[in-house]
Amino acid sequence: MADLDLEKIVAELRSWPGLVRKKFAGKLAELVDEFFGEDAGYFTLDDHEVVFTVDGIWHRVLEEDLYWGGFISILVNVHDVYAMGARARYAVNVISVRDTNALESIKRGMLDAAQKYGIKILKGHVHPDAPFNSVEVAMIGFAKKGCLIKSNTARGGDSIIVAVDTLGKPHGRLIFNFDSTDKPAEVLRRQFESMVVLAENRLVSAGKDLSNAGIIGTIAMMLEVSKKGATVELEKIPKPGNVDMVQWLKSYPACGFCVASDQPEEVKKVFEAHGLKAEVVGEVNSSKVLDLKYKGAIKTFYDFRKESVLGLF
């Protein structure tokens, strides 16, 4: 797909199921109220912010690789907690399986991920005779009081920085899962710690983890809930050499974030010191339109005045 023009890239990304499925989030907006659009909910307890999130793994992942489904059931929650500037600590789970072989594969993946990322699994529930395989995990973490990174607070004039671990490869047949988890635990944990440093030093105004919606889809969600727009330059996004542009923009990386900041050079230094490749890819504006720029061409990706990534209208 190296010869794709920008119009085709936009069409590919807008039709990506990982992004299209986000439209159903809006149907739950009234359930979570002020936390809608955030990577996790939170509340204050004494001198800490308690951050709480939950995720279920896409059936397409489990159909291809049960072990990996178990592994990322922990990883995606770690992402969500650290995206808020908190440290992920404890988890509970619900597993449904067709047979004991599936249960063992999912369990091994969860245990390996929990060990790598320092997560204590406190409780679980299993349905051993389900007509399908599924895994859901809820996770809790802690941040210093007043030191949370939210999704809906990007400001006009902020730089948009994308930071990601590009030293990995697509995971088997799941080519849109970019796997860089074969590093030592201390390396992986340090990458995530970058968001805590940014939060505690108040270096960013908003942020999200790079999710199943893809890199551009994640930026779009941050801008929509912030009621802002931007122009993002695709060629500036950090990218591994072993994945083409469109595949990469659709990918869920094992560690990656997008943030908005008026101190981009300081933010880049923090990310790079923690083992992530980081670049300024655009600037937040008040247009409520997300434009993409590629090889000199510019095209609108989403116009939040007329349409919603998150299904709000």
Side-chain angles (χ1 to χ4, degrees):
M1 293 188 178
D3 60 344
L4 281 180
D5 61 22
L6 183 55
E7 185 172 354
K8 291 179 180 177
I9 291 173
V10 168
E12 283 268 351
L13 298 183
R14 282 183 60 101
S15 63
W16 168 234
L19 177 62
V20 173
R21 295 168 81 244
K22 294 296 181 182
K23 289 185 179 296
F24 288 88
K27 296 184 180 299
L28 300 178
E30 61 187 322
L31 288 180
V32 294
D33 198 20
E34 73 268 27
F35 301 112
F36 180 75
E38 298 295 346
D39 289 306
Y42 52 87
F43 58 90
T44 303
L45 181 65
D46 298 327
D47 293 329
H48 294 88
E49 306 289 356
V50 181
V51 175
F52 198 18
T53 193
V54 63
D55 265 299
I57 298 306
W58 198 0
H59 68 91
R60 292 187 182 182
V61 173
L62 292 167
E63 287 167 1
E64 293 292 343
D65 191 331
L66 290 166
Y67 171 88
W68 182 244
F71 191 98
I72 65 170
S73 72
I74 298 295
L75 177 56
V76 296
N77 282 279
V78 169
H79 254 131
D80 284 344
V81 173
Y82 274 97
M84 303 288 293
R87 293 183 175 94
R89 286 294 180 260
Y90 304 104
V92 295
N93 64 81
V94 177
I95 303 172
S96 300
V97 290
R98 293 191 181 101
D99 53 51
T100 55
N101 288 335
L103 179 60
E104 285 300 314
S105 294
I106 292 171
K107 182 185 75 174
R108 283 191 300 105
M110 294 176 72
L111 287 172
D112 286 351
Q115 183 177 29
K116 283 225 170 188
Y117 296 102
I119 305 302
K120 176 69 174 177
I121 299 176
L122 300 178
K123 185 72 171 68
H125 180 82
V126 61
H127 297 288
D129 49 4
F132 51 80
N133 297 315
S134 72
V135 55
E136 291 78 35
V137 170
M139 190 170 289
I140 196 167
F142 305 94
K144 285 186 178 180
K145 187 176 181 179
C147 293
L148 287 180
I149 298 172
K150 300 178 183 179
S151 298
N152 64 357
T153 46
R155 303 169 300 199
D158 280 347
S159 295
I160 298 172
I161 302 101
V162 169
V164 63
D165 184 357
T166 59
L167 300 178
K169 61 183 179 181
H171 185 87
R173 293 189 299 272
L174 295 163
I175 65 169
F176 298 108
N177 281 200
F178 189 77
D179 185 1
S180 58
T181 64
D182 60 348
K183 301 176 178 68
E186 59 269 22
V187 173
L188 299 177
R189 295 182 195 184
R190 181 168 174 76
Q191 291 176 343
F192 282 98
E193 189 71 13
S194 61
M195 291 297 282
V196 177
V197 174
L198 293 175
E200 292 183 355
N201 287 278
R202 293 174 169 79
L203 290 174
V204 300
S205 59
K208 292 188 76 65
D209 67 295
L210 299 179
S211 73
N212 206 38
I215 296 171
I216 300 303
T218 302
I219 293 172
M221 291 189 291
M222 181 178 72
L223 293 172
E224 180 176 6
V225 295
S226 296
K227 298 180 172 58
K228 294 292 186 288
T231 297
V232 170
E233 298 187 47
L234 299 186
E235 290 161 294
K236 291 187 176 180
I237 293 173
K239 187 181 85 66
N242 56 350
V243 180
D244 71 44
M245 173 69 80
V246 173
Q247 181 178 333
W248 179 240
L249 294 177
K250 293 179 180 179
S251 291
Y252 166 69
C255 186
F257 302 96
C258 67
V259 298
S261 174
D262 62 0
Q263 301 179 69
E265 293 307 314
E266 291 302 311
V267 170
K268 284 180 60 179
K269 287 178 184 177
V270 170
F271 279 132
E272 290 164 357
H274 287 78
L276 298 176
K277 190 172 182 180
E279 295 292 346
V280 174
V281 302
E283 183 175 300
V284 179
N285 58 46
S286 60
S287 68
K288 296 185 181 180
V289 176
L290 172 54
D291 289 328
L292 303 183
K293 184 176 181 180
Y294 182 63
K295 294 184 176 180
I298 297 178
K299 186 170 179 61
T300 294
F301 181 68
Y302 254 85
D303 184 340
F304 305 119
R305 300 168 301 180
K306 303 175 182 177
E307 53 187 345
S308 172
V309 172
L310 293 167
L312 291 174
F313 56 87

